[in-house]
Amino acid sequence: MKSWTLGIFVLLYLALLLKIEGLKFHRSEHTERISGSAGDVLEDNPVGRLKVFVYELPSKYNKKILQKDQRCLNHMFAAEIFMHRFLLSSAVRTFNPEEADWFYTPVYSTCDLTPNGLPLPFKSPRMMRSAIQLISSNWPYWNRTEGADHFFIVPHDFGACFHYQEEKAIERGILPLLQRATLVQTFGQRNHVCLKDGSITIPPYAPPQKMQSHLIPPDTPRSIFVYFRGLFYDVGNDPEGGYYARGARAAVWENFKNNPLFDISTEHPTTYYEDMQRAIFCLCPLGWAPWSPRLVEAVIFGCIPVIIADDIVLPFADAIPWEDIGVFVAEKDVPNLDTILTSIRPEEILRKQRLLANPSMKQAMLFPTPAQSGDAFHQILNGLARKLPHDKTNYLKPGEKSLNWTAGPVGDLKPW
């Protein structure tokens, strides 16, 4: 009973302070510009700074796969589809490969879903190998660098390791043929086998139009202190919860399921997006991988993301000041989550909310159709532009090779 009474008192106190400060906030400025180099990078325009050649592959690598399963358009891995569509009509596209800075191979490697909508990455390595064999046989550009001036979108749970379970992903490692290419991927974790130097970490896909349709008035009070909807245990694969999310989600549930400050549940209500807009903090814990669409949803809906994923590498970290807009909680400190969040000063909460209200922050997390200035497409291009010019050592001498085409699991070597 004591904890309930204390929780309600804290929530009412915070709500009162935020309401008073919020009135001042609404009378003055609704957003806060992202200061320093991060803000400048976020607003960069990549047009004129790079040229991209898009390989025209047989439709079996992309369009035909999508025709079989339209669900891929709304999946959190859909960045591979929308990036392809964007580049086809982008001002950075060149039809002359001799003047290209970068080469892009459009392979929809995640569009293979179970009836429940879960991605099956098992064919992906063979599909990717097949596409690379094709471009290396029909164009000379791959062979000049063995892919060092090529980029691939690999939005799987663990990127180009192509497995949804970390243990298996680590065992597999990055597909050997992609070792020299630049990987554009949602997975990011420091000192991890599945994140190689030079990769560009991007947000997962979240449907922009769907989120737009659920916006509520911006002056709606944020009456929920902590919000989370999702799994705490993966009963099918890890019923005890010690392996899934490294036990962090299980710890959230066991410690706070009865805490009135925490609105947490496995149920996913129809008001999910609206509820996030009524919350002050939104939990973004790791699952099987460190990242999830909750990160995008929290930023879009102005809910301060509470990031629980040790060593995570966040999307566009050179452009988005994650330390300023979010709260980082170590996985071992989850039992102290209530103390950590209630100790954050109201003025600090308001500052984070002002930064989250900045339209450029939200725009950078989305893949809209049509594309818009400063969106995730442009942030990817900015990341590629900042890697230019390519190092001269990337170019191989005639007949020189460094990649092992027969490396990797035997199953990956079968034709696709």
Side-chain angles (χ1 to χ4, degrees):
M1 182 65 78
K2 269 187 178 179
S3 65
W4 277 66
T5 308
L6 178 62
I8 293 168
F9 173 76
V10 171
L11 186 55
L12 288 171
Y13 172 69
L14 279 166
L16 178 62
L17 282 175
L18 288 170
K19 186 175 181 183
I20 294 168
E21 291 297 323
L23 288 172
K24 298 177 190 173
F25 170 62
H26 283 297
R27 289 192 192 113
S28 55
E29 197 63 45
H30 289 270
T31 67
E32 183 169 323
R33 189 187 183 278
I34 303 155
S35 61
S37 61
D40 297 335
V41 169
L42 199 61
E43 294 163 15
D44 276 351
N45 183 355
V47 176
R49 296 168 58 212
L50 78 167
K51 293 182 179 180
V52 177
F53 179 77
V54 180
Y55 286 113
E56 292 188 17
L57 301 184
S59 59
K60 71 174 186 175
Y61 291 99
N62 39 63
K63 294 176 185 175
K64 279 192 177 176
I65 295 173
L66 179 58
Q67 286 170 3
K68 290 179 182 176
D69 197 337
Q70 292 288 311
R71 292 178 301 167
C72 297
L73 285 169
N74 294 307
H75 203 279
M76 61 183 172
F77 297 153
E80 62 183 1
I81 298 170
F82 289 100
M83 190 68 189
H84 181 203
R85 292 181 174 183
F86 163 73
L87 284 171
L88 290 177
S89 58
S90 170
V92 305
R93 185 185 184 188
T94 178
F95 290 89
N96 178 6
E98 292 296 332
E99 67 175 19
D101 300 297
W102 288 99
F103 295 82
Y104 167 63
T105 309
V107 181
Y108 297 173
S109 63
T110 64
C111 189
D112 184 14
L113 306 179
T114 66
N116 292 331
L118 299 174
L120 293 170
F122 309 117
K123 297 177 186 174
S124 303
R126 287 189 291 134
M127 187 191 307
M128 195 66 80
R129 279 181 59 88
S130 173
I132 293 170
Q133 286 171 335
L134 181 70
I135 63 174
S136 64
S137 301
N138 290 280
W139 289 273
Y141 308 105
W142 173 273
N143 299 319
R144 294 187 314 187
T145 65
E146 288 197 313
D149 53 0
H150 289 56
F151 70 93
F152 293 81
I153 313 295
V154 282
H156 275 291
D157 286 299
F158 290 94
C161 287
F162 295 125
H163 207 285
Y164 58 87
Q165 290 184 336
E166 185 173 21
E167 203 172 85
K168 299 282 180 64
I170 291 172
E171 185 182 321
R172 288 186 54 84
I174 291 172
L175 186 72
L177 291 186
L178 294 176
Q179 290 290 348
R180 287 172 61 85
T182 288
L183 303 180
V184 179
Q185 59 186 61
T186 43
F187 173 74
Q189 183 173 316
R190 287 185 291 276
N191 305 314
H192 198 285
V193 169
C194 300
L195 180 69
K196 73 186 193 74
D197 288 345
S199 298
I200 296 173
T201 311
I202 64 172
Y205 179 80
Q209 289 82 3
K210 182 180 177 183
M211 290 193 289
Q212 182 74 26
S213 68
H214 286 268
L215 289 175
I216 62 177
D219 57 353
T220 302
R222 292 190 177 267
S223 54
I224 301 169
F225 190 60
V226 180
Y227 188 75
F228 176 78
R229 290 293 183 272
L231 292 177
F232 297 98
Y233 302 88
D234 185 334
V235 177
N237 295 297
D238 179 39
E240 294 182 4
Y243 183 67
Y244 176 61
R246 297 197 282 259
R249 291 198 187 197
V252 168
W253 179 249
E254 295 304 330
N255 284 280
F256 304 110
K257 58 188 174 186
N258 296 319
N259 189 316
L261 292 178
F262 284 68
D263 187 344
I264 58 175
S265 172
T266 56
E267 295 177 5
H268 207 287
T270 55
T271 56
Y272 174 68
Y273 284 155
E274 288 82 357
D275 292 344
M276 290 188 88
Q277 294 168 79
R278 295 187 181 98
I280 296 171
F281 295 105
C282 287
L283 301 186
C284 301
L286 72 162
W288 283 114
W291 60 273
S292 82
R294 289 179 193 82
L295 198 63
V296 177
E297 295 160 351
V299 171
I300 297 304
F301 294 130
C303 186
I304 298 169
V306 179
I307 299 159
I308 307 169
D310 293 354
D311 296 321
I312 189 171
V313 176
L314 290 160
F316 310 134
D318 55 348
I320 295 178
W322 290 105
E323 294 284 348
D324 292 334
I325 65 172
V327 176
F328 289 79
V329 176
E331 293 164 25
K332 66 178 177 59
D333 292 333
V334 167
N336 303 318
L337 199 51
D338 54 349
T339 304
I340 292 168
L341 296 180
T342 55
S343 66
I344 300 174
R345 292 174 294 117
E347 53 267 33
E348 180 62 17
I349 291 173
L350 283 165
R351 181 174 181 273
K352 291 180 185 294
Q353 290 174 334
R354 285 196 297 269
L355 283 167
L356 283 167
N358 190 313
S360 62
M361 187 88 70
K362 301 177 188 297
Q363 192 76 332
M365 300 295 283
L366 293 175
F367 296 90
T369 304
Q372 298 171 19
S373 176
D375 61 18
F377 300 119
H378 290 83
Q379 301 306 328
I380 292 171
L381 293 181
N382 282 335
L384 292 169
R386 287 193 287 276
K387 290 176 170 292
L388 298 175
H390 294 295
D391 195 300
K392 290 180 180 178
T393 59
N394 286 339
Y395 295 89
L396 304 176
K397 296 174 184 175
E400 184 184 0
K401 292 187 182 296
S402 64
L403 295 179
N404 183 352
W405 284 72
T406 60
V410 175
D412 292 358
L413 306 181
K414 295 178 181 177
W416 178 74

